[in-house]
Amino acid sequence: MGANAFDGMQRSMISMALSAVSLRDLALVQAVARQGSFNSAARAMHISPSGLSHQVQKVEQALGVPLFERGGRRVVPTASGQRLLAHIDEVLAAAGQLEQGARAGALAFGGELRLGVPSTLGPYLLPHFIEPFPQRFPGARLTISEGKPRGLLRRLHEGELDAVLAPPTTSVNGIESTALFFEPYELMLHVDHPLASRASVSMDELDPADATLMAESHGQGAADLGAEGMANPARIQDLSLESLATLVALRGGYTLVPILARERLASIPNVVLAAVEGARPGRHIALYWRSASPWQDDMQAFAALLRDLASRIPGLSA
């Protein structure tokens, strides 16, 4: 028999011997090394000294080398034992990580929900569900990413996010969705606008040339408002809501802003808010996630939580 064949057989025999060694056996060896005594290790591991000695011998036989020098007042590792104990520590640490990961799998969303939210929605909706989320999904961490809906949905499709809140879009293979709520828009007018003193204004009372709309929040621009082409394309701005409000405050006219942003935007100088009379423009928000996600029930539960919250937030309709 050649040397290579013998080495292969020896490795196979060692592998078969090690298959009879449990993590508990390795933990007992680790305890002896740390305690420096079979008796102390036996007490710490809740096993008899003779039982502990037997299990340590089983590990030594499986490895083919003695791990400890016996007979002295203190049990110390052999040279081979010191080297192999480092590997045993690594195996037990890896087993602990494996167990921790398995426990996380039992948590909602596997322990973390990576949620994408449009920047025109996140700052105004998050305060409403940051507190209820851990109550509904104990142990699960919520990680938020803001951006534009199209970019967020692309990141969802590529696996960077687990779910996305966004207005309805064309269906995409491999992506599931469920409707959440409708958020109406309110008018924001410059304080010197002729209709600024009114509590409510009809859209047909306004001059389309005075409108400054935000492309992100209004999806296809003026088309979402029920008035195709009502705004000059040059005045459809890709801005945050705060920047949009500041623009109206500086150059006049009016815009439309989501109702959830009312409290924060109302404090901006030189602008006033008014309700829209008649058929109110607004945006529908849906929850998107991958069809292959193992957390289908959790996604539906999260959607139910958001619908329930929307039903209790003034102005929204679930």
Side-chain angles (χ1 to χ4, degrees), residues 21 155 213 256 276 308:
V21 174
R155 293 176 63 192
L213 304 178
L256 286 150
V276 179
D308 180 61

Side-chain angles (χ1 to χ4, degrees), residues 63-128:
L63 294 174
V65 294
L67 297 174
F68 300 103
E69 296 178 1
R70 295 168 171 80
R73 297 185 60 184
R74 180 174 177 83
V75 176
V76 296
T78 62
S80 298
Q82 286 184 333
R83 176 172 51 84
L84 294 174
L85 280 164
H87 292 304
I88 288 174
D89 289 343
E90 293 173 358
V91 170
L92 292 174
Q97 293 174 357
L98 178 64
E99 184 178 14
Q100 184 178 3
R103 286 198 301 267
L107 298 174
F109 309 108
E112 180 180 11
L113 173 61
R114 300 170 298 173
L115 179 67
V117 186
S119 54
T120 59
L121 176 64
Y124 317 107
L125 180 64
L126 290 179
H128 295 280

Side-chain angles (χ1 to χ4, degrees), residues 197-212:
S197 61
R198 298 260 300 273
S200 61
V201 178
S202 174
M203 294 298 296
D204 57 17
E205 297 180 81
L206 296 164
D207 184 352
D210 292 338
T212 301

Side-chain angles (χ1 to χ4, degrees), residues 129-201:
F129 73 83
I130 286 296
E131 183 177 352
F133 181 86
Q135 297 173 354
R136 175 62 181 81
F137 304 104
R141 183 174 64 175
L142 180 64
T143 304
I144 303 295
S145 294
E146 287 190 351
K148 298 178 181 180
R150 183 175 298 179
L152 293 172
L153 289 169
R154 183 184 67 251
R155 293 176 63 192
L156 171 66
H157 192 266
E158 293 174 353
E160 295 180 17
L161 298 172
D162 300 313
V164 166
L165 298 177
T169 185
T170 54
S171 60
V172 179
N173 288 337
I175 300 296
E176 302 286 334
S177 68
T178 184
L180 297 178
F181 58 83
F182 175 75
E183 181 185 16
Y185 294 138
E186 287 189 316
L187 277 165
M188 172 175 282
L189 306 100
H190 190 275
V191 69
D192 292 334
H193 192 281
L195 302 177
S197 61
R198 298 260 300 273
S200 61
V201 178

